[in-house]
C-alpha cells in the first residue's frame, strides 16, 4: 500500500532519469526511454500505481504522446508544477493527466487553457480556431466539457 502523500509535491527533478531510482521505463515515441521512479509517479497517478503495483509493469508505452509532452508530464510529477507546459505540449499533457488520472494536473491544464490559450493576443482567426479545436478535441476525445464551456463563455463575453 502506497502511503498517503499530498500531491502535487516537490520530489526533486534531479531524480528524473536516475539509473538508481528509475525503476519504471517510459518508452517514448522517438525510440528513446525515460527512467522514472514508480513511487513518485504512483503518488500522483492511481492508474500508474495500479500498473506498477497490481499489474507489476516495469515499463509503459508512451507513443501516443509527444516526447516533449512526456518530459513536461514527468517534470510536473516530480516538481509539483507544470512549468514546462506550453501551447505546443499542453494538449498532450492534458490528455496524459486525463488518461493517468492526475487530478491536480487536469485542473492545471484547464487553468492553462483559460489563461494562455483563451487569452487572444491578436484576436485573430488562427488564435480563435486553435482554441476552438483544442476545446472540441477535449470534449470529443476525453469527454471534458469544461474546455468547451470556457471557450463559449470567452467568445460570448467579448465585445
Amino acid at each position: 500500500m502506497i502511503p498517503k502523500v499530498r500531491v502535487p509535491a516537490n520530489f526533486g527533478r534531479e531524480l528524473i532519469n536516475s539509473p538508481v531510482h528509475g525503476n519504471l521505463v517510459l518508452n517514448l515515441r522517438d525510440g528513446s526511454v525515460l527512467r522514472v521512479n514508480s513511487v513518485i509517479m504512483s503518488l500522483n497517478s492511481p492508474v500508474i500505481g495500479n500498473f506498477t503495483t497490481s499489474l507489476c509493469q516495469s515499463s509503459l508505452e508512451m507513443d501516443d504522446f509527444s516526447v516533449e509532452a512526456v518530459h513536461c508530464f514527468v517534470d510536473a510529477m516530480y516538481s509539483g508544477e507544470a512549468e514546462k507546459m506550453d501551447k505546443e505540449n499542453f494538449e498532450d499533457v492534458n490528455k496524459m493527466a486525463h488518461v493517468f488520472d492526475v487530478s491536480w494536473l487536469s485542473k492545471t491544464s484547464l487553468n492553462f487553457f483559460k489563461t494562455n490559450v483563451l487569452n487572444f493576443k491578436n484576436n485573430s482567426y488562427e488564435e480563435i480556431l486553435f482554441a476552438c479545436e483544442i476545446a472540441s478535441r477535449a470534449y470529443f476525445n476525453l469527454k471534458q466539457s469544461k474546455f468547451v464551456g470556457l471557450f463559449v463563455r470567452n467568445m460570448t463575453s467579448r465585445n
Side-chain angles (χ1 to χ4, degrees):
M1 178 79 171
I2 297 173
K4 190 69 178 163
V5 173
R6 187 171 170 89
V7 292
N10 186 349
F11 296 103
R13 290 180 171 110
E14 65 277 2
L15 298 174
I16 298 172
N17 236 359
S18 167
V20 174
H21 300 288
N23 63 333
L24 177 62
V25 176
L26 305 180
N27 297 309
L28 306 183
R29 181 184 282 175
D30 66 357
S32 64
V33 298
L34 185 59
R35 299 183 69 79
V36 297
N37 184 274
S38 63
V39 174
I40 292 172
M41 299 299 283
S42 297
L43 288 170
N44 284 280
S45 166
V47 173
I48 293 175
N50 186 49
F51 281 145
T52 57
T53 306
S54 300
L55 302 175
C56 300
Q57 296 291 311
S58 60
S59 67
L60 294 174
E61 298 300 321
M62 302 296 279
D63 52 355
D64 285 342
F65 315 106
S66 72
V67 172
E68 296 77 18
V70 174
H71 281 279
C72 177
F73 178 77
V74 169
D75 184 77
M77 299 301 99
Y78 274 73
S79 69
E81 301 172 351
E83 290 178 352
K84 293 184 177 183
M85 188 181 294
D86 58 31
K87 285 185 179 180
E88 285 76 39
N89 67 26
F90 145 76
E91 199 168 5
D92 270 354
V93 172
N94 179 54
K95 188 162 75 169
M96 281 183 277
H98 180 76
V99 167
F100 295 114
D101 194 19
V102 182
S103 58
W104 70 266
L105 190 54
S106 291
K107 291 174 189 167
T108 300
S109 297
L110 187 64
N111 189 49
F112 181 90
F113 179 74
K114 185 176 172 180
T115 59
N116 294 312
V117 177
L118 291 179
N119 186 11
F120 305 133
K121 291 185 170 106
N122 301 317
N123 212 22
S124 69
Y125 172 76
E126 289 81 14
E127 289 175 313
I128 295 168
L129 180 61
F130 177 71
C132 181
E133 287 175 339
I134 287 176
S136 65
R137 281 193 297 266
Y139 178 74
F140 287 110
N141 297 336
L142 306 174
K143 307 302 181 230
Q144 292 178 316
S145 61
K146 290 181 179 180
F147 287 86
V148 172
L150 282 172
F151 176 77
V152 170
R153 275 193 296 281
N154 182 280
M155 294 308 296
T156 57
S157 67
R158 303 181 84 65
N159 296 341

